[in-house]
Amino acid sequence: MYTDTERCVRAVQSKDARFDGWFFTAVRTTGIYCRPSCPAVPPKVENMTFLPSAAACQQSGYRACKRCRPDTSPGSPEWNARADAVARAMRLIQDGVVDREGVPGLASRLGYSARQVERQLGAELGAGPLALARAQRAQTARLLIETSGLPMGDIAFAAGFSSIRTFNDTVREVFALAPSELRARAAGRGAAPGAGPGAAQVPGTISLRLPFRAPLTPDNLFGHLAATAVPGVEEWRAGAYRRTLRLPYGTGVVALTPRPDHIGCRLALTDLRDLTIAISRCRRLLDLDADPEAVDEQLRADPLLAPLVAKAPGRRVPRTVDAEEFAVRAVLGQQVSTAAARTHAARLVRALGEPVADPDPEGGLTHLFPTSQALAGLDPESLALPRSRRTTFTTLVSALADGSLPLGIDSDWEAARARLGALPGFGPWTTEIIAMRALGDPDAFIPSDLGIRRAAKGLGLPSTPAALTARAAHWRPWRAYAVQYLWATEDHAINVLPA
């Protein structure tokens, strides 16, 4: 989009927040870069240049605007709507792979050489993987400086910097302020409720806001997560969805609360180096980087879907923080009720899950969901499942454990579908629900789902899978979002925001 100068200028002049994260405005005369919705007076058109990423702006010598804080805008929706190498690379960078494994590790996961990855990212984003990871570290550092009382040395290493000197130099270069000045500035503007070094919060936790593109309808998003929550791993408590997290350096517990203009996020981590990864996974779980305007515009073009979109615009696809966990839960949920699926999963958690401490003394979180390696060692006869389902379960966890079935944010969607479809007991429903919620394919579609067929019939849409699939061609590439609108027509707990 950043190459369409005329469109970008219109977005900047109208301060259109819909384009935040799609591109950034760099101002030649001031040396700063902004998000399109920056509240400052728009610069002259001849002084604007448009860049595709914060990293590209920083690499070109621009510093972040102190008013609109462009580094904190929602991420580009492109990376969750595409399955090519650049999109997969961006998802991996957001998950901290470059910081943990370097550029060679990133390239290895993608199946390319490091030179190819550098070239592809540079061509599309104006910056290579190291610059993109550096921009992310700077954003994490700013977040910790402004929302915690941690010493600067701890923040430097938590954000992924190799030294305090590099941390200081990067913060000054990107934000034109020393770390201590950033903290003083945050305190001076009072900080956000539940944030800031002086804010009251549970010791050992970090509170922050997760931005999103409006509109967002939280009913089915949080309703689905709460209704399917596995006891001990997830719960709905005091207006927040809470769950345990397995992270690269340790464990964590997150509480996510829907607010009118943001998602409240409270994280308790055993290792602060996991902060960036935890935030990325929470954003992915709630589909916060989606572009609801583009999705809804496409779906409301169908006159039978248009009333559903008008009634509750901005529905998101509830996803997951762990693709392997969701695949296991999808098999446990085959042909049974939501309550029965939760019961099966809870038994596995109690037997094989790793215990964790809930930072909330009133909370009910006790375990991490079991790893595929732990599940692969389970005696199949101990599973209260039909024999055919046991075979499906054991085959899946064995493939996950030995690495022959890689599932994650870097998965090639079609290749993963092919591998899943080759497993015994994996029909179109199971494969597509995993593609939708675990892999993040926005065009995944489940026409054989009973709830979808009932909703389609009630709306006057074709209700047979083949006919509905043919009609749904008009909804592409957003059929996963059409599923959310169709599901929402039913009176079911997954569609209700818990009290």
Side-chain angles (χ1 to χ4, degrees):
M1 157 140 194
Y2 74 100
T3 57
D4 187 343
T5 301
E6 184 178 343
R7 192 178 178 195
C8 289
V9 168
R10 288 200 307 270
V12 171
Q13 292 179 337
S14 62
K15 304 183 188 300
D16 196 334
R18 293 177 301 170
F19 295 99
D20 287 354
W22 275 104
F23 69 90
F24 297 85
T25 307
V27 186
R28 299 186 185 95
T29 51
T30 62
I32 66 171
Y33 72 95
C34 304
R35 61 172 79 195
S37 65
C38 182
V41 176
K44 294 180 179 179
V45 174
E46 60 267 26
N47 294 330
M48 297 183 201
T49 185
F50 303 106
L51 295 168
S53 65
C57 295
Q58 294 167 18
Q59 194 161 267
S60 298
Y62 294 94
R63 63 171 176 81
C65 174
K66 296 174 184 176
R67 291 191 66 183
C68 69
R69 296 154 54 98
D71 55 304
T72 63
S73 60
S76 172
E78 281 195 271
W79 315 133
N80 290 335
R82 291 164 41 183
D84 56 65
V86 170
R88 290 162 58 208
M90 284 302 297
R91 292 197 288 270
L92 286 168
I93 291 170
Q94 290 166 356
D95 203 51
V97 167
V98 170
D99 289 333
R100 297 194 304 275
E101 303 173 22
V103 177
L106 172 68
S108 175
R109 286 180 177 240
L110 295 171
Y112 291 92
S113 70
R115 184 186 295 268
Q116 287 174 303
V117 173
E118 292 268 6
R119 185 167 57 247
Q120 290 184 56
L121 288 173
E124 186 158 345
L125 289 158
L130 288 176
L132 291 162
R134 176 179 180 267
Q136 182 164 280
R137 285 195 295 273
Q139 180 181 345
T140 303
R142 180 180 199 161
L143 182 69
L144 286 170
I145 290 167
E146 295 183 341
T147 65
S148 79
L150 290 171
M152 294 300 176
D154 291 348
I155 289 175
F157 294 110
F161 290 96
S162 58
S163 71
I164 296 176
R165 180 176 180 177
T166 304
F167 160 72
N168 287 328
D169 291 346
T170 299
V171 171
R172 285 195 185 95
E173 181 182 339
V174 173
F175 305 114
L177 291 170
S180 58
E181 292 173 319
L182 264 182
R183 176 163 282 177
R185 186 182 178 90
R189 63 172 177 261
Q201 52 183 304
V202 178
T205 66
I206 297 171
S207 297
L208 55 135
R209 296 182 174 208
L210 302 182
F212 56 77
R213 291 178 184 82
L216 182 146
T217 295
D219 303 8
N220 71 301
L221 178 60
F222 284 90
H224 205 122
L225 295 173
T228 59
V230 177
V233 175
E234 305 166 284
E235 69 174 0
W236 180 267
R237 178 179 294 277
Y241 166 75
R242 305 178 72 241
R243 72 154 292 149
T244 59
L245 301 170
R246 186 187 303 279
L247 298 163
Y249 297 107
T251 64
V253 170
V254 64
L256 298 163
T257 308
R259 303 293 188 199
D261 60 349
H262 68 277
I263 300 297
C265 176
R266 190 171 69 253
L267 279 161
L269 304 172
T270 58
D271 192 318
L272 280 175
R273 289 177 295 175
D274 285 322
L275 178 64
T276 301
I277 299 102
I279 293 172
S280 174
R281 293 184 184 179
C282 289
R283 294 193 64 81
R284 185 169 175 80
L285 171 71
L286 301 181
D287 197 17
L288 296 185
D289 290 324
D291 183 356
E293 294 284 346
V295 172
D296 290 351
E297 180 181 7
Q298 178 81 10
L299 299 183
R300 70 165 61 95
D302 188 318
L304 296 181
L305 285 186
L308 303 182
V309 176
K311 180 181 178 182
R315 290 196 184 277
R316 301 300 207 268
V317 178
R319 295 208 166 113
T320 183
V321 296
D322 187 320
E324 293 190 3
E325 173 191 317
F326 185 83
V328 171
R329 291 171 61 173
V331 168
L332 296 178
Q334 287 178 333
Q335 300 178 346
V336 298
S337 67
T338 300
R342 294 178 67 210
T343 299
H344 288 313
R347 287 173 182 155
L348 293 179
V349 167
R350 288 194 297 271
L352 299 169
E354 179 184 333
V356 295
D358 192 330
D360 183 348
E362 303 294 324
L365 302 181
T366 58
H367 292 80
L368 298 172
F369 196 84
T371 64
S372 53
Q373 289 76 15
L375 293 171
L378 183 68
D379 179 4
E381 297 301 318
S382 66
L383 296 169
L385 299 171
R387 186 167 298 278
S388 61
R389 192 90 43 78
R390 286 186 217 164
T391 301
T392 302
F393 177 89
T394 55
T395 305
L396 170 66
V397 297
S398 295
L400 293 173
D402 65 20
S404 60
L405 176 62
L407 294 180
I409 57 173
D410 57 328
S411 294
D412 179 291
W413 296 334
E414 294 310 315
R417 279 183 170 93
R419 292 191 184 99
L420 289 167
L423 298 178
F426 271 76
W429 185 91
T430 309
T431 299
E432 287 300 302
I433 200 71
I434 291 173
M436 179 191 300
R437 295 193 56 198
L439 304 183
D441 184 352
D443 201 39
F445 192 52
I446 46 175
S448 61
D449 180 81
L450 183 59
I452 295 299
R453 296 177 65 183
R454 283 198 299 258
K457 184 176 181 180
L459 291 172
L461 290 163
S463 58
T464 62
L468 185 56
T469 299
R471 174 59 181 271
H474 301 294
W475 306 339
R476 306 192 75 168
W478 310 117
R479 293 184 299 177
Y481 294 88
V483 167
Q484 308 311 312
Y485 282 107
L486 291 172
W487 267 339
T489 62
E490 292 213 308
D491 182 16
H492 194 286
I494 65 169
N495 296 318
V496 180
L497 189 67

